[in-house]
């Protein structure tokens, strides 16, 4: 999957080349996109020591939608997720908080590489091989659903 750098609210983030959109233009007010909600957020949080990483989670989720069912795309998506968390931390944290947050970012990434494998392959089995048009339509539906939930139409 090809990617590019794009500027999001003052932070350069890595996103898929084609068909990618953010559901909100800034970190403040960005919908929560990490974890499963409720108790799942203890394991997969929306923040790392109060740093909002939801844009990185959103990108990661959309990359999984677009990914081919291969280990290469799985790991590529996860490595982009790691890099986006690092870029957010670098841009939004002072020296002390960068050093405190960095180990948690790596633990989060390792969790996605291990536990996430089961979720990725389950998702790919459910998704089937419906092609890029279906994936892009699913991304648009996700954006519209989040807009309805947050009142951001």
């Amino acid at each position: 999957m090809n990617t590019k750098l794009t500027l999001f609210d003052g932070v350069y983030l890595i996103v898929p080349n084609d068909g990618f959109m953010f559901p909100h233009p800034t970190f403040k007010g960005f919908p929560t996109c990490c974890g499963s909600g409720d108790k799942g957020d203890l394991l997969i949080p929306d923040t790392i020591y109060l740093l909002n990483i939801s844009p990185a989670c959103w990108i990661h989720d959309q990359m999984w939608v677009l990914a081919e069912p291969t280990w290469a795309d799985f790991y590529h998506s996860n490595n982009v997720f790691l890099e986006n968390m690092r870029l957010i931390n670098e841009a939004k944290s002072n020296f002390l908080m960068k050093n405190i947050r960095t180990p948690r970012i790596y633990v989060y990434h390792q969790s996605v590489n291990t536990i996430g494998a089961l979720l990725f392959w389950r998702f790919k089995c459910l998704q089937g091989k419906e092609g890029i048009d279906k994936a892009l339509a699913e991304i648009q539906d996700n954006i519209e659903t989040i807009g309805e939930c947050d009142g951001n139409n």
Side-chain angles (χ1 to χ4, degrees):
M1 175 184 318
N2 293 322
T3 58
K4 63 182 177 184
L5 278 177
T6 191
L7 188 61
F8 174 78
D9 198 18
V11 179
Y12 280 100
L13 297 174
I14 303 165
V15 300
N17 268 355
D18 298 317
F20 181 81
M21 297 175 283
F22 284 105
H24 194 273
T26 64
F27 281 92
K28 185 177 179 169
F30 200 91
T32 57
C33 300
C34 308
S36 59
D38 196 31
K39 293 179 183 170
D41 284 345
L42 296 174
L43 183 61
I44 306 169
D46 289 304
T47 63
I48 294 183
Y49 303 121
L50 303 177
L51 177 68
N52 180 357
I53 59 163
S54 277
C57 294
W58 173 262
I59 294 165
H60 183 247
D61 289 352
Q62 302 315 307
M63 287 186 74
W64 272 18
V65 169
L66 296 170
E68 292 293 324
T70 65
W71 284 110
D73 272 10
F74 170 74
Y75 286 117
H76 176 64
S77 299
N78 295 348
N79 289 336
V80 167
F81 180 49
L82 171 64
E83 189 59 25
N84 281 336
M85 288 189 293
R86 290 180 63 250
L87 289 166
I88 293 168
N89 189 32
E90 185 69 30
K92 299 285 186 179
S93 301
N94 63 33
F95 177 78
L96 177 63
M97 291 310 295
K98 274 183 216 171
N99 289 312
I100 291 171
R101 290 174 175 139
T102 295
R104 179 65 175 111
I105 287 170
Y106 283 97
V107 168
Y108 199 153
H109 176 252
Q110 189 57 42
S111 297
V112 169
N113 273 340
T114 54
I115 298 167
L118 295 171
L119 299 172
F120 177 82
W121 288 109
R122 180 173 180 262
F123 177 68
K124 287 298 154 186
C125 287
L126 293 173
Q127 187 182 33
K129 294 185 177 183
E130 296 157 340
I132 192 75
D133 292 335
K134 172 69 176 158
L136 293 174
E138 190 170 330
I139 290 171
Q140 183 60 40
D141 288 346
N142 289 345
I143 290 172
E144 289 170 7
T145 301
I146 287 174
E148 290 169 8
C149 293
D150 288 351
N152 296 321
N153 291 329

